[in-house]
């Protein structure tokens, strides 16, 4: 490879030739716009939280919009963590498989998914902005919001599982037309993601339908906080993977092609998703290490189970790294790091995804801290915790979705990006801002700075007496937040500018990756047999039995949660609701 001439500039995408997908493109565009509109509002509020930790209280100046810091934090968490991610994911996980398989999705079911989530999102927005539901994104009882909040969350969650029957129907039709073939890679990963989410959603939907909805409507008078916290984290931990797995789908299924190379291993991609399905659900109660009510033995077991989730992330790191190295060397890169410099950094879609993957190194490392019983005791309920998930959903997911938007908007609309330079600027400023912010949050957490606390409302002398020792990291938090503000509006300048004013151009085709080994996904959206059962690897054939994986996951989850819920169910707490705002 060392003799190959260096290839500058971005990889040229193939041109879309099939114009028969107009309804699907329009629907995908609706999901994309709805999701990113939620991010626009949620990310605009984010820097206010960052300034809060540096002692700057901006909320009195915004009294006509936000009454308290907690109202702003609720809007920030719900719109970014639920609405943004759900809309983009539920669009991608139908559209990409449909194009890969060449199968038309059920527009009625997909449209119902959008409609339900839109109704749920509007109900949540109403409940949050009328200051009736400052219950934060975890909505822990006994804090009590309005029925609009809980019913909205119920409808949003129900809507978010609707892609599953759409996927199952498309896969079944493709299987009938291609007997003996393993499911193409992007479709397989999308299906496993939705199966994981359907199982995970049982926790939150049980909490909402059986407890929070009737409680908020006055049908029951009291509620048990511990049972509800446990049900929440049955969903609340796997939701992290509902954020991450769509990013992994892009990294495995698209990014290597965008970078000018091939995917290093198709079977390892499938193994990653199978392991994420199995490992992500049983471990949610590690978020409750500091809660009373379940045994120390089971807490120790949870630590071991939680560490298992690192295995698919390590597989991803090696597979993605090798795929990118192959791409860089194919473009003429040589030496230890020359291949990295040779990647098409001038393509904002590639830059966003590679930088997002780099930030996940910090996200994964700090996740191990949170998942360790002893170490968690040091950082529990400090800014270290939101610092961690800002380098997961706030970087990996957000930056990958931003990168996807940079090729999807031209693909869906036939309009060229109004400015690659501004797009690249938004990507790099987001990367720099999020890195500074997250480092500051985690550093400040080691000084005991509390998370989800309106510390800037304290008297100046009191604030400095309590948190002055953390002056350097809190300054980093504020600086990172302001940089993220700049990145946010730079991105949306390109996003909406392209939608409204982008020049007409050829539509780029979906850049499905080609694998170096194992079953081969499509290079285009044309439906062809990608691998026969005897031609695929043994691992790929074994992992094709997705319902066996679902059964194993369900058994493991029940085995993990029964010992935790059992004492709570036999010692029920009857708590009235609290409204503290």
């Amino acid at each position: 490879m060392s003799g190959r001439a260096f290839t500058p500039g971005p990889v040229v995408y193939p041109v879309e030739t099939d114009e028969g997908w107009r309804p699907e493109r329009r629907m995908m565009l609706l999901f994309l716009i709805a999701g990113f509109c939620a991010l626009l509002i949620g990310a605009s509020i984010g820097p206010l939280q960052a300034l809060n930790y540096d002692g700057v209280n901006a909320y009195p100046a915004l009294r006509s919009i936000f009454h308290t810091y907690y109202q702003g934090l609720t809007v920030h968490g719900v719109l970014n963590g639920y609405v943004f991610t759900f809309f983009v994911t539920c669009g991608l996980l139908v559209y990409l498989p449909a194009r890969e398989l060449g199968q038309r999705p059920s527009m009625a079911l997909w449209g119902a998914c959008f409609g339900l989530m839109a109704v749920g999102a509007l109900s949540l927005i109403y409940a949050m902005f009328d200051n009736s539901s400052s219950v934060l994104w975890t909505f822990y009882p006994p804090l009590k919001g309005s029925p609009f909040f809980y019913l909205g969350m119920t409808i949003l969650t129900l809507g978010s599982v609707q892609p599953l029957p759409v996927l199952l129907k498309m896969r079944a039709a493709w299987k009938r037309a291609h007997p003996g073939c393993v499911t193409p890679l992007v479709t397989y990963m999308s299906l496993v993601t939705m199966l994981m989410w359907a199982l995970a959603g049982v926790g939150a939907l049980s909490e909402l339908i059986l407890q929070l909805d009737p409680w908020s409507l006055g049908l029951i008078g009291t509620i048990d906080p511990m049972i509800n916290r446990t049900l929440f984290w049955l969903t609340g931990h796997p939701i992290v993977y509902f954020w991450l797995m769509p990013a992994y789908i892009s990294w495995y299924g698209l990014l290597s092609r965008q970078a000018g190379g091939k995917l290093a291993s198709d079977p390892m991609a499938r193994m990653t998703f199978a392991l994420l399905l199995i490992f992500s659900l049983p471990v949610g109660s590690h978020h409750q290490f500091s809660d009373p009510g379940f045994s120390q033995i089971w807490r120790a077991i949870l630590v071991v189970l939680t560490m298992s989730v690192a295995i698919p992330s390590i597989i991803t790191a090696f597979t993605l790294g090798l795929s990118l190295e192959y791409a860089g060397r194919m473009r003429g890169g040589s030496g230890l790091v020359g291949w990295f410099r040779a990647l098409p950094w001038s393509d904002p879609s590639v830059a966003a995804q590679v930088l997002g993957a780099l930030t996940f190194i910090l996200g994964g490392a700090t996740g191990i801290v949170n998942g360790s019983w002893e170490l968690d005791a040091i950082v529990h309920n400090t800014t270290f915790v939101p610092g961690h998930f800002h380098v997961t959903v706030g970087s990996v997911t957000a930056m990958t979705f931003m990168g996807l938007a940079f090729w999807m908007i031209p693909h869906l609309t036939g309009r060229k990006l109004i400015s690659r330079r501004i797009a690249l600027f938004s990507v790099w400023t987001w990367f720099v801002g999020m890195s500074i912010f997250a480092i500051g949050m985690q550093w400040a957490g080691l000084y005991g700075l509390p998370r989800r606390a309106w510390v800037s409302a304290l008297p100046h002398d009191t604030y400095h007496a309590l948190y002055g020792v953390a002056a350097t990291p809190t300054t980093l938090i504020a600086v990172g937040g302001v940089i993220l503000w700049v990145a946010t509006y730079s991105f949306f300048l390109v996003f909406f500018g392209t939608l409204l004013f982008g020049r007409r151009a050829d539509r780029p085709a979906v850049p499905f990756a080609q694998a170096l080994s194992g079953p081969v996904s499509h290079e285009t959206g044309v439906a062809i047999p990608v691998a026969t059962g005897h031609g695929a690897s043994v691992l790929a054939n074994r992992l094709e039995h997705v319902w066996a994986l679902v059964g194993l996951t369900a058994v493991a989850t029940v085995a993990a949660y029964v010992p935790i819920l059992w004492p709570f169910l036999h010692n029920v707490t009857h708590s009235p609701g609290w409204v503290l705002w």
Side-chain angles (χ1 to χ4, degrees):
M1 297 291 180
S2 59
R4 186 185 295 270
F6 176 70
T7 306
V11 174
V12 178
Y13 292 24
V15 175
E16 175 83 284
T17 57
D18 187 350
E19 289 298 322
W21 293 84
R22 183 173 296 176
E24 290 81 5
R25 285 199 298 265
R26 287 179 175 174
M27 182 62 74
M28 179 66 235
L29 187 61
L30 281 177
F31 277 96
L32 208 62
I33 291 172
F36 276 102
C37 283
L39 179 66
L40 175 58
I41 300 170
S44 296
I45 298 168
L48 301 178
Q49 328 302 332
L51 293 172
N52 166 69
Y53 285 114
D54 200 33
V56 179
N57 186 9
Y59 281 94
L62 300 170
R63 183 71 67 180
S64 60
I65 303 173
F66 298 115
H67 292 77
T68 68
Y69 159 86
Y70 301 102
Q71 183 186 11
L73 186 58
T74 302
V75 174
H76 174 72
V78 169
L79 291 185
N80 289 347
Y82 297 126
V83 181
F84 163 55
T85 58
F86 284 14
F87 270 99
V88 177
T89 295
C90 289
L92 289 174
L93 268 54
V94 172
Y95 185 77
L96 292 178
R99 298 306 309 268
E100 182 181 46
L101 299 176
Q103 295 287 333
R104 301 287 179 176
S106 168
M107 296 301 289
L109 280 174
W110 201 20
C113 169
F114 182 88
L116 284 170
M117 292 203 302
V119 170
L122 290 173
S123 182
L124 286 165
I125 290 169
Y126 174 78
M128 291 185 295
F129 276 94
D130 80 344
N131 197 36
S132 67
S133 303
S134 296
V135 293
L136 309 183
W137 83 279
T138 48
F139 50 92
Y140 286 154
L143 291 179
K144 187 175 184 179
S146 82
F148 286 103
F149 184 92
Y150 301 113
L151 292 172
M153 188 63 72
T154 304
I155 296 168
L156 181 73
T157 306
L158 286 170
S160 70
V161 298
Q162 298 308 306
L164 179 57
V166 181
L167 278 169
L168 290 171
K169 184 177 179 181
M170 289 193 297
R171 178 177 181 256
W174 189 89
K175 283 281 198 178
R176 286 194 297 270
H178 304 90
C181 294
V182 298
T183 306
L185 180 58
V186 169
T187 304
Y188 181 85
M189 295 186 292
S190 299
L191 177 60
V192 172
T193 300
M194 285 310 310
L195 288 168
M196 182 281 297
W197 181 238
L199 287 174
V202 170
L205 286 172
S206 297
E207 178 191 12
L208 287 160
I209 294 171
L210 300 178
Q211 289 280 296
L212 297 178
D213 289 339
W215 181 55
S216 67
L217 291 167
L219 301 178
I220 57 176
T222 60
I223 201 162
D224 188 305
M226 289 307 303
I227 291 175
N228 281 274
R229 284 167 72 94
T230 306
L231 290 173
F232 175 85
W233 285 115
L234 173 55
T235 300
H237 182 75
I239 199 176
V240 174
Y241 300 98
F242 195 51
W243 297 334
L244 291 177
M245 289 165 80
Y248 281 17
I249 289 171
S250 182
W251 296 355
Y252 279 118
L254 307 173
L255 179 56
S256 59
R257 174 66 178 273
Q258 293 178 279
K262 294 185 178 183
L263 175 63
S265 175
D266 175 294
M268 285 297 99
R270 295 171 192 266
M271 173 63 81
T272 295
F273 275 71
L275 292 177
L276 285 170
L277 169 63
I278 296 167
F279 291 156
S280 64
L281 269 85
V283 302
S285 288
H286 76 251
H287 291 267
Q288 298 175 265
F289 278 150
S290 297
D291 287 356
F294 62 99
S295 74
Q296 293 184 354
I297 293 174
W298 196 247
R299 294 171 202 262
I301 294 172
L302 280 170
V303 173
V304 177
L305 292 174
T306 301
M307 294 304 110
S308 67
V309 182
I311 297 172
S313 295
I314 293 170
I315 294 173
T316 298
F318 279 99
T319 307
L320 178 62
L322 182 57
S323 301
L324 292 175
E325 180 177 355
Y326 179 83
R329 295 193 186 280
M330 287 294 292
R331 289 171 54 83
S334 60
L336 188 62
V337 295
W339 64 268
F340 191 71
R341 292 196 300 268
L343 293 173
W345 291 102
S346 59
D347 184 340
S349 181
V350 172
Q353 294 179 79
V354 174
L355 292 174
L358 288 176
T359 61
F360 194 46
I361 297 172
L362 180 61
T366 54
I368 291 174
V369 173
N370 293 332
S372 304
W373 185 9
E374 295 85 353
L375 296 177
D376 179 73
I378 299 171
V379 301
H380 180 70
N381 266 345
T382 70
T383 55
F384 189 97
V385 177
H388 159 68
F389 59 70
H390 274 84
V391 280
T392 52
V393 64
S395 61
V396 175
T397 304
M399 292 186 73
T400 300
F401 285 0
M402 290 163 66
L404 284 165
F406 288 140
W407 73 258
M408 285 206 86
I409 294 295
H411 167 77
L412 297 172
T413 65
R415 294 181 181 272
K416 191 175 180 179
L417 290 181
I418 60 167
S419 173
R420 277 181 173 266
R421 289 186 177 182
I422 298 176
L424 282 167
F425 175 78
S426 71
V427 166
W428 279 98
T429 50
W430 190 285
F431 172 71
V432 171
M434 189 61 74
S435 299
I436 293 172
F437 172 82
I439 289 170
M441 290 284 277
Q442 289 161 356
W443 186 1
L446 297 178
Y447 285 107
L449 186 64
R451 65 184 289 207
R452 304 199 290 197
W454 196 357
V455 295
S456 61
L458 293 169
H460 184 75
D461 291 343
T462 304
Y463 170 84
H464 281 281
L466 291 171
Y467 309 118
V469 68
T472 301
T474 56
T475 299
L476 290 178
I477 294 171
V479 170
V482 172
I483 294 173
L484 283 167
W485 233 337
V486 175
T488 297
Y489 293 118
S490 299
F491 169 78
F492 282 104
L493 176 62
V494 176
F495 185 89
F496 289 113
T498 300
L499 286 173
L500 297 173
F501 307 113
R503 291 191 296 107
R504 292 290 181 182
D506 290 331
R507 300 178 191 273
V510 182
F512 288 116
Q514 176 86 22
L516 284 169
S517 66
V520 180
S521 289
H522 300 194
E523 287 195 277
T524 68
V526 180
I528 57 173
V530 296
T532 61
H534 60 270
S537 74
V538 173
L539 179 59
N541 275 299
R542 293 289 183 268
L543 295 176
E544 191 71 2
H545 301 290
V546 292
W547 293 111
L549 297 174
V550 169
L552 177 61
T553 305
V555 170
T557 304
V558 170
Y561 272 90
V562 167
I564 295 171
L565 279 169
W566 193 258
F568 298 150
L569 293 171
H570 284 76
N571 298 275
V572 176
T573 300
H574 297 280
S575 175
W578 297 358
V579 179
L580 305 177
W581 53 90

Coordinates of all heavy atoms in Angstrom, one line a residue, residues 48 58-68 71 128-131:
L48 N -27.3 26.7 29.0 CA -27.7 27.3 30.2 C -27.4 26.4 31.4 O -27.1 26.9 32.5 CB -29.3 27.5 30.2 CG -29.8 28.3 29.0 CD1 -31.3 28.4 29.1 CD2 -29.2 29.7 29.1
A58 N -28.6 32.2 34.4 CA -29.2 32.8 33.3 C -30.8 32.8 33.4 O -31.4 33.4 32.6 CB -28.7 32.3 32.0
Y59 N -31.3 32.0 34.2 CA -32.7 31.7 34.2 C -33.6 32.9 34.6 O -34.7 33.1 34.0 CB -33.1 30.5 35.1 CG -32.8 29.2 34.3 CD1 -31.6 28.6 34.5 CD2 -33.7 28.7 33.4 CE1 -31.2 27.4 33.8 CE2 -33.4 27.5 32.7 CZ -32.2 26.9 32.9 OH -31.9 25.7 32.2
P60 N -33.2 33.8 35.5 CA -34.1 35.0 35.8 C -34.3 35.8 34.5 O -35.4 36.4 34.4 CB -33.3 35.7 36.8 CG -32.5 34.7 37.6 CD -32.1 33.7 36.5
A61 N -33.3 35.9 33.6 CA -33.5 36.6 32.4 C -34.5 36.0 31.4 O -34.9 36.6 30.5 CB -32.2 36.9 31.7
L62 N -34.8 34.7 31.6 CA -35.7 33.9 30.8 C -37.0 33.6 31.4 O -37.6 32.6 31.1 CB -35.0 32.7 30.3 CG -33.6 32.9 29.5 CD1 -32.9 31.5 29.3 CD2 -33.9 33.5 28.2
R63 N -37.4 34.3 32.4 CA -38.5 34.0 33.3 C -39.8 33.8 32.5 O -40.7 33.0 32.8 CB -38.7 35.1 34.3 CG -39.8 34.9 35.3 CD -39.5 33.7 36.3 NE -38.4 34.1 37.2 CZ -37.9 33.3 38.1 NH1 -38.5 32.1 38.3 NH2 -37.0 33.7 38.9
S64 N -39.9 34.5 31.3 CA -41.1 34.4 30.5 C -41.2 33.0 29.8 O -42.3 32.6 29.4 CB -41.2 35.5 29.5 OG -40.0 35.4 28.6
I65 N -40.1 32.3 29.7 CA -40.0 31.0 29.1 C -39.9 29.9 30.1 O -40.6 28.9 30.1 CB -38.9 30.9 28.1 CG1 -39.1 32.0 27.0 CG2 -38.9 29.6 27.4 CD1 -37.9 32.1 26.1
F66 N -38.9 30.1 31.0 CA -38.5 29.0 32.0 C -38.6 29.6 33.4 O -38.0 30.6 33.7 CB -37.1 28.5 31.8 CG -36.9 27.8 30.4 CD1 -36.1 28.3 29.5 CD2 -37.6 26.7 30.1 CE1 -35.9 27.7 28.3 CE2 -37.4 26.0 28.9 CZ -36.6 26.6 28.0
H67 N -39.4 29.0 34.2 CA -39.6 29.5 35.6 C -38.4 29.1 36.5 O -38.0 29.8 37.4 CB -40.9 29.0 36.2 CG -42.1 29.5 35.6 ND1 -42.6 29.1 34.3 CD2 -43.0 30.5 36.0 CE1 -43.7 29.8 34.0 NE2 -43.9 30.7 35.0
T68 N -37.8 27.9 36.2 CA -36.7 27.4 37.0 C -35.7 26.6 36.2 O -36.0 26.2 35.0 CB -37.2 26.4 38.1 OG1 -37.7 25.2 37.4 CG2 -38.4 27.0 38.9
Q71 N -37.1 23.2 35.2 CA -37.9 23.1 34.0 C -37.0 23.1 32.8 O -37.3 22.3 31.8 CB -38.8 24.4 34.0 CG -39.8 24.3 32.8 CD -40.6 25.6 32.7 OE1 -40.3 26.6 33.3 NE2 -41.6 25.6 31.8
M128 N -44.3 20.3 29.6 CA -43.0 20.9 30.1 C -43.0 22.4 30.1 O -42.6 23.1 31.0 CB -41.8 20.3 29.3 CG -41.6 18.8 29.6 SD -40.1 18.2 28.8 CE -40.5 18.4 27.0
F129 N -43.5 22.9 29.0 CA -43.5 24.4 28.9 C -44.6 25.1 29.7 O -44.5 26.3 29.9 CB -43.5 24.8 27.4 CG -42.2 24.8 26.7 CD1 -41.8 23.6 26.0 CD2 -41.3 25.8 26.8 CE1 -40.6 23.6 25.4 CE2 -40.1 25.8 26.2 CZ -39.7 24.7 25.5
D130 N -45.6 24.4 30.1 CA -46.6 25.1 31.0 C -46.2 25.0 32.5 O -46.9 25.4 33.4 CB -48.0 24.6 30.8 CG -48.3 23.3 31.5 OD1 -47.3 22.6 31.9 OD2 -49.5 22.9 31.6
N131 N -44.9 24.5 32.7 CA -44.4 24.4 34.0 C -45.2 23.5 35.0 O -45.1 23.7 36.2 CB -44.2 25.8 34.7 CG -43.2 25.7 35.8 OD1 -42.2 25.0 35.8 ND2 -43.5 26.5 36.9

